[in-house]
Amino acid sequence: MSTAKFDTIGQYLLKRLYDANVKHIFGVPGDYVLGFYDLMIKSPIQHIGTTREDTAAFAADGYARCTGMGALAVTYGVGALNTVNAIAGAYAESSPVVVISGAPGVREQRDDPLIHHRFGPFTFQREIFERITCATVVLDDPVIAFRQIDRAIAAARRFSKPVYIEIPRDMVMVEGYPMPAEVMEQFESDETALSEAVSEATELMAKSVSPMIIAGVELHRYGLQGSLVELVERGRLPVVATLTGKSVIAERHPAYLGIYEGAMSSENARYMVEQSDLLLMLGVTLNDVDTGIYTAKLDPHHMIRAALNEVMISAHRYPRVALADFLAALASSVKTCSGEGLSLPAVALEASGFPEPNRPITTARLIGRLNQALSPEMIVVSDVGDCLFAAIDLRVHEQSEFLASSFYATMGFAVPAGLGAQISRPDHRALILVGDGAFQMTGTELSTHARLGLNPIVVVFNNSGYSTERGILEGPFNDISSWRFDRLGEVFGPLKGYDATTEESFEEALINSLNNRTMPSIINVHLSVDDASSAMKRLAEHLKSRVKG
């Protein structure tokens, strides 16, 4: 990549993002970032204007999960601070998003004026983002700006976390100073620790009667899905995923048993995991969501856990072992098994006899019908609430085709994240699952889908309020306004809207949506207030006692 002296700081930042496979930047313009926007539209990177700054960040998050890195550009103060929740979510869920914030000029800041969007010392914004990113830089010195950019982007890639880049508006067109290419320190496994960890693991696997794999979110974030499949198929090992790791393996793979999350799991998945005499925990984070609010019954004495650059085998700890290295070495060392594996593949939930005449639509039958409609081209993007817990029973065709804010669990993720996902994967079609409450937060981004001619299918789980909270503690605070989601085309632009109260009306809406490939479709599915997925009911029972103290 050229670092000729004519590169300005803004040009160099755009070049380095493009080199990192960032072909689109999401955002809302503002005067402190307009100079950077002007450069952007003259570059190969396309600007995707969003309706709000937080949705730009959600879209960049969805984009990053599909391509390896995403980016957004916003103005100082009112713009950047609107992204804090979404960037905190990207940090919690290990999604490498680059936050670019314009800022008052260096000279302006030096004069310490009371200018618009200011909310305290000019360092406050950077200090806020220091808490929710893995690196922050302010490009106020042309001598070191190029190196700061390189280091920030490298940090996002290495740690799979967001980074923050602030560019004062009077520095965008300042020429930077080329420096010799810096060799970034790469994490390298301790060869002795790696060898001994693999040796002990393969020995235990050879003695085990019922070994199996629990696959977690780190396999997604570090692109290790292929290595997982190799290990599964060479060793004929059954595999479950955590909720945050959902779709880390194609969910119609014969070795896949479903989602394990303690007491919230299906009976088959829970039995297979909890009776296993050796669990290979790969890239798993033991948070409360993935452990079913800590109801998981996992014996550390019968466990091999590889995550966070170390391997734990029973009471033995092997530090400085990269997950990628351990997984690759284990896959090549494990004894290749012939014949049938021990797994009993999970049966995809289906809605037999759908649609039944005059039968009200329910969550279970809705998910069963969507399972039948899923195709290899579809990527499912789910919001939180019961649509997420119901989606546990969906079986996507290919790996990494399910996106959700499963751990951070922020409402409003799905519609904008679906925008980023579909832009990053133009060969896919987004199936967006969202509750009526979450849609009211960020659903305006469906207008951007429409403006760009995208064709997602949005299924609104309309149960007249916040169903998750209802299951924990009922009260009038869970009620929300009733929207005519099916009529949003009158406001948002070209999109098809449908209203579904029965199985027959949903079937007609779904078939029409599948055939409509030129614009978005939205199906307003009316569900009973007390209808909930089995997983949601189990979760609510566990949380209810905590809320009541």
Side-chain angles (χ1 to χ4, degrees):
M1 189 215 61
S2 170
T3 55
K5 189 151 177 17
F6 59 80
D7 278 349
T8 68
I9 294 173
Q11 289 171 333
Y12 187 83
L13 175 55
L14 288 164
K15 285 184 177 183
R16 297 299 288 133
L17 287 169
Y18 192 83
D19 292 343
N21 204 31
V22 175
K23 305 299 191 292
H24 304 82
I25 293 179
F26 303 86
V28 177
D31 58 343
Y32 294 122
V33 77
L34 283 179
F36 182 75
Y37 266 51
D38 188 50
L39 276 183
M40 191 196 319
I41 62 173
K42 299 171 184 174
S43 78
I45 294 179
Q46 182 180 351
H47 168 246
I48 305 295
T50 55
T51 62
R52 297 161 44 146
E53 291 91 356
D54 59 343
T55 57
F58 283 133
D61 186 349
Y63 189 100
R65 297 188 194 204
C66 294
T67 64
M69 191 170 295
L72 65 141
V74 292
T75 196
Y76 183 79
V78 295
L81 296 184
N82 263 342
T83 73
V84 166
N85 174 61
I87 296 304
Y91 187 87
E93 303 238 344
S94 297
S95 186
V97 175
V98 180
V99 182
I100 302 164
S101 174
V106 173
R107 296 179 185 85
E108 290 175 298
Q109 294 186 39
R110 188 181 301 133
D111 294 337
D112 200 33
L114 288 174
I115 55 178
H116 63 285
H117 300 338
R118 183 175 180 178
F119 58 98
F122 289 111
T123 59
F124 268 16
Q125 182 168 294
R126 173 184 56 78
E127 291 169 5
I128 290 169
F129 279 91
E130 279 181 347
R131 303 291 184 174
I132 54 174
T133 61
C134 70
T136 62
V137 297
V138 177
L139 305 179
D140 56 4
D141 184 346
V143 175
I144 61 173
F146 287 3
R147 179 147 292 178
Q148 286 178 299
I149 291 168
D150 290 343
R151 287 179 173 177
I153 293 174
R157 181 182 290 110
R158 175 178 175 181
F159 298 108
S160 194
K161 297 282 188 183
V163 297
Y164 171 81
I165 299 176
E166 183 176 307
I167 182 165
R169 62 178 169 184
D170 60 0
M171 299 301 291
V172 173
M173 295 305 296
V174 172
E175 291 184 352
Y177 286 75
M179 291 186 176
E182 183 178 25
V183 178
M184 301 295 178
E185 180 184 356
Q186 300 294 321
F187 180 88
E188 294 184 358
S189 294
D190 181 298
E191 290 299 328
T192 301
L194 173 62
S195 175
E196 292 184 6
V198 170
S199 178
E200 183 174 2
T202 52
E203 183 179 347
L204 288 175
M205 290 172 66
K207 295 177 181 178
S208 173
V209 175
S210 55
M212 70 176 301
I213 294 171
I214 301 181
V217 66
E218 287 188 17
L219 301 179
H220 273 299
R221 299 297 178 258
Y222 294 103
L224 302 177
Q225 301 94 327
S227 296
L228 171 66
V229 172
E230 182 182 357
L231 176 60
V232 166
E233 295 182 348
R234 283 178 60 88
R236 297 284 179 177
L237 296 167
V239 57
V240 296
T242 61
L243 181 55
T244 60
K246 181 173 168 64
S247 82
V248 71
I249 187 170
E251 295 183 328
R252 305 193 182 214
H253 191 286
Y256 178 68
L257 299 180
I259 300 295
Y260 177 74
E261 48 173 348
M264 269 50 106
S265 316
S266 68
E267 287 299 320
N268 181 52
R270 184 170 60 172
Y271 171 77
M272 291 295 290
V273 169
E274 295 177 0
Q275 64 81 40
S276 172
D277 63 352
L278 184 65
L279 291 174
L280 281 74
M281 308 270 288
L282 304 176
V284 173
T285 56
L286 295 174
N287 57 65
D288 65 342
V289 172
D290 287 338
T291 59
I293 316 300
Y294 303 119
T295 60
K297 296 180 180 178
L298 305 172
D299 186 348
H301 298 294
H302 297 93
M303 183 188 299
I304 298 170
R305 186 178 178 216
L308 301 175
N309 292 328
E310 69 174 15
V311 175
M312 297 286 293
I313 303 179
S314 187
H316 301 165
R317 175 175 178 264
Y318 298 93
R320 290 195 60 81
V321 176
L323 175 60
D325 294 339
F326 178 75
L327 190 53
L330 188 62
S332 62
S333 300
V334 71
K335 182 180 178 181
T336 304
C337 298
S338 58
E340 297 298 322
L342 298 175
S343 62
L344 301 172
V347 177
L349 178 68
E350 295 186 354
S352 60
F354 197 100
E356 292 187 7
N358 301 317
R359 180 172 178 174
I361 189 76
T362 64
T363 299
R365 296 276 288 175
L366 168 63
I367 291 295
R369 181 63 184 93
L370 289 177
N371 247 335
Q372 295 167 319
L374 280 179
S375 64
E377 69 164 356
M378 286 186 176
I379 182 167
V380 180
V381 187
S382 178
D383 221 287
V384 299
D386 201 25
C387 58
L388 173 60
F389 294 106
I392 290 173
D393 290 322
L394 284 179
R395 297 285 181 266
V396 300
H397 284 258
E398 303 297 335
Q399 62 192 26
S400 298
E401 289 188 345
F402 182 88
L403 307 181
S405 177
S406 305
F407 170 52
Y408 187 65
T410 178
M411 293 176 68
F413 172 84
V415 175
L419 172 68
Q422 190 151 359
I423 287 174
S424 67
R425 291 183 177 176
D427 57 335
H428 280 65
R429 189 178 192 184
L431 173 63
I432 298 173
L433 311 180
V434 58
D436 50 335
F439 189 97
Q440 289 187 16
M441 293 183 177
T442 59
T444 52
E445 224 47 66
L446 189 57
S447 66
T448 307
H449 288 263
R451 176 168 58 87
L452 297 176
L454 303 177
N455 59 0
I457 300 173
V458 180
V459 179
V460 180
F461 287 56
N462 187 348
N463 45 26
S464 303
Y466 301 128
S467 60
T468 305
E469 282 71 21
R470 274 208 179 101
I472 302 169
L473 183 65
E474 180 59 288
F477 38 77
N478 293 319
D479 299 332
I480 62 174
S481 300
S482 178
W483 284 19
R484 288 295 306 272
F485 299 101
D486 52 299
R487 298 184 62 181
L488 286 177
E490 299 174 26
V491 178
F492 286 177
L495 66 86
K496 293 287 187 179
Y498 306 93
D499 209 42
T501 57
T502 65
E503 291 190 356
E504 288 176 310
S505 57
F506 179 75
E507 180 70 13
E508 181 181 1
L510 180 62
I511 295 300
N512 287 336
S513 298
L514 290 169
N515 292 332
N516 171 30
R517 307 190 70 87
T518 60
M519 65 184 72
S521 299
I522 184 169
I523 308 175
N524 182 20
V525 183
H526 296 269
L527 298 167
S528 172
V529 172
D530 59 359
D531 182 29
S533 65
S534 56
M536 181 70 252
K537 291 176 182 176
R538 292 191 293 265
L539 175 67
E541 284 302 313
H542 282 276
L543 292 178
K544 190 179 298 184
S545 60
R546 294 189 179 196
V547 172
K548 292 183 177 181

